[in-house]
Amino acid sequence: MRKLLLLTAVLLTVTAVILSAGCVQFHQDTDTTPTPTPEQVLPTASPTSTTTPVATATPKPAQTQMPSHKIDGSGSMETWQIWLDTGVSRVSAKNYGSGNFIVWLSKGGKHQDMLFNELGAYEGETAFEVEEAGYYTFDVIASGTWTLTVNGPYNVNVSSFNDYRSNGIMFITGANTMTSSPFTLEKGVAVFNGYYLGSDRITATLYANGISAGTIDSDTGAAKTQKVYPVTIAGSYTLNVNTAGEWGFEVTQPLPRNPEPFTSISGTGDEVTPYYAVTGDQMLTMSNAGEGPATVVFYQPDGSIAGSVVIPAGVTDYNYLLKNPNGGKTTVCLVAVTADGAWSVSGTHY
């Protein structure tokens, strides 16, 4: 009996050792069939489209020039920005001050075109061309209140407005005896309109590249003067002024744009007209109501003189034959008149 119990204990011990070694694994209610690995399912490709979509940005609305801009101001200032389309626009101006009135068209802080250069109260208009649409300002030099009104654009050439524009407009001012900064004159006609506010004598001499080129003004006391200077050599010029007091000169070089046929002109005092088309020889009939003789000079665009005549004081129906330097062809000329009273000049093809 003792041996049987001992054998039973030995068998139980061996069985426990085997189970603890993991040689036999048995889990109640467990399926021992291997679980299959799930297959990877790839997404089905969509049918290929024949048109590839392209992302496009929403376009910004185009800027458009207003039919009319009105800008009011006072003194010297740069106006707010306005949008200007390409083409030709017109600007009218009113200056209520007594000093200089200069208006520049500017873009990005840089001057593009001088539109007005006047002295004292002024009302007028001019045309200008915008080659690149964008934001522009007007740089105004003035001593009082003023108004600018811009209209356009017009799909025309700027010359169709018969706009008396100038090339190289400058306003040279100073006080007492001094030499101006250099400025450039192109070959052609230069017009000097000057004023002197002092009481002494003023002498203004034009210098071309450092060499005296002629007297522009020589007066005593407060005065205004006009001098037409034929520029035969383009280059750098200066004004040497000898006086005591404030002075100034407006320098312009008129352009022969869209000249009208010459028929008749009239005025009072000194005047330089726009360019006219003179066909063939002209029999001029003139009058001069002034106390002194009046001088009439016809200048061609290159500065050369096509003809000149002196009208005696106090005469009417004074005749002079203007010989056309180009014979029967058309010659373009402006007329410079120096007078102290009313005058008139009419022409008849001869």
Side-chain angles (χ1 to χ4, degrees):
M1 184 63 178
R2 185 177 178 179
K3 288 182 180 180
L4 182 57
L5 295 171
L6 182 60
L7 181 58
T8 301
V10 171
L11 290 173
L12 292 172
T13 303
V14 171
T15 301
V17 171
I18 292 173
L19 291 173
S20 65
C23 294
V24 178
Q25 295 185 6
F26 177 79
H27 300 283
Q28 188 175 4
D29 298 330
T30 301
D31 187 2
T32 58
T33 304
T35 302
T37 304
E39 294 182 3
Q40 184 178 6
V41 180
L42 298 176
T44 304
S46 302
T48 304
S49 175
T50 57
T51 304
T52 303
V54 178
T56 57
T58 303
K60 295 181 179 179
Q63 297 282 0
T64 303
Q65 181 175 340
M66 292 176 60
S68 181
H69 284 284
K70 185 176 181 181
I71 304 172
D72 298 315
S74 179
S76 298
M77 60 176 285
E78 186 174 16
T79 68
W80 59 83
Q81 292 182 335
I82 65 172
W83 181 273
L84 295 176
D85 289 331
T86 56
V88 176
S89 294
R90 302 183 82 167
V91 54
S92 58
K94 290 183 180 180
N95 178 43
Y96 302 97
S98 58
N100 296 339
F101 179 63
I102 302 173
V103 180
W104 285 92
L105 177 69
S106 299
K107 183 179 183 183
K110 296 183 179 180
H111 289 167
Q112 304 291 314
D113 192 2
M114 179 178 277
L115 304 178
F116 298 99
N117 191 349
E118 307 294 336
L119 181 63
Y122 172 78
E123 181 175 356
E125 68 174 13
T126 190
F128 62 91
E129 185 172 8
V130 173
E131 296 182 353
E132 181 181 358
Y135 286 104
Y136 289 80
T137 61
F138 296 94
D139 192 3
V140 181
I141 299 174
S143 59
T145 58
W146 46 265
T147 300
L148 299 176
T149 304
V150 183
N151 293 289
Y154 305 91
N155 187 23
V156 296
N157 190 288
V158 70
S159 63
S160 67
F161 289 98
N162 195 26
D163 182 34
Y164 181 46
R165 300 299 302 280
S166 298
N167 176 35
I169 303 177
M170 293 155 284
F171 202 83
I172 304 169
T173 60
N176 304 323
T177 297
M178 61 175 287
T179 299
S180 73
S181 299
F183 54 90
T184 301
L185 292 179
E186 303 296 336
K187 188 175 181 179
V189 177
V191 181
F192 290 79
N193 282 292
Y195 69 88
Y196 175 51
L197 302 180
S199 58
D200 295 341
R201 183 174 181 80
I202 179 173
T203 302
T205 305
L206 183 67
Y207 279 78
N209 300 314
I211 301 175
S212 177
T215 301
I216 298 300
D217 195 5
S218 181
D219 290 296
T220 300
K224 291 184 178 181
T225 188
Q226 182 177 73
K227 176 76 173 183
V228 177
Y229 179 79
V231 182
T232 57
I233 301 176
S236 178
Y237 288 76
T238 58
L239 271 177
N240 286 18
V241 180
N242 187 1
T243 190
E246 296 182 1
W247 52 267
F249 287 91
E250 179 192 66
V251 187
T252 62
Q253 290 198 267
L255 298 177
R257 288 181 171 171
N258 196 28
E260 296 180 351
F262 175 76
T263 55
S264 63
I265 55 176
S266 60
T268 300
D270 297 346
E271 184 173 337
V272 178
T273 70
Y275 279 94
Y276 289 97
V278 180
T279 303
D281 297 339
Q282 292 282 319
M283 177 58 74
L284 303 180
T285 301
M286 300 171 287
S287 67
N288 174 21
E291 297 180 356
T295 303
V296 181
V297 183
F298 288 79
Y299 286 97
Q300 299 183 80
D302 64 357
S304 60
I305 296 176
S308 63
V309 59
V310 176
I311 312 174
V315 301
T316 58
D317 297 331
Y318 186 83
N319 293 326
Y320 170 79
L321 180 61
L322 175 65
K323 298 289 292 184
N324 194 318
N326 294 321
K329 299 180 180 179
T330 298
T331 299
V332 176
C333 299
L334 62 74
V335 186
V337 180
T338 304
D340 61 6
W343 52 266
S344 66
V345 179
S346 62
T348 303
H349 182 66
Y350 184 75

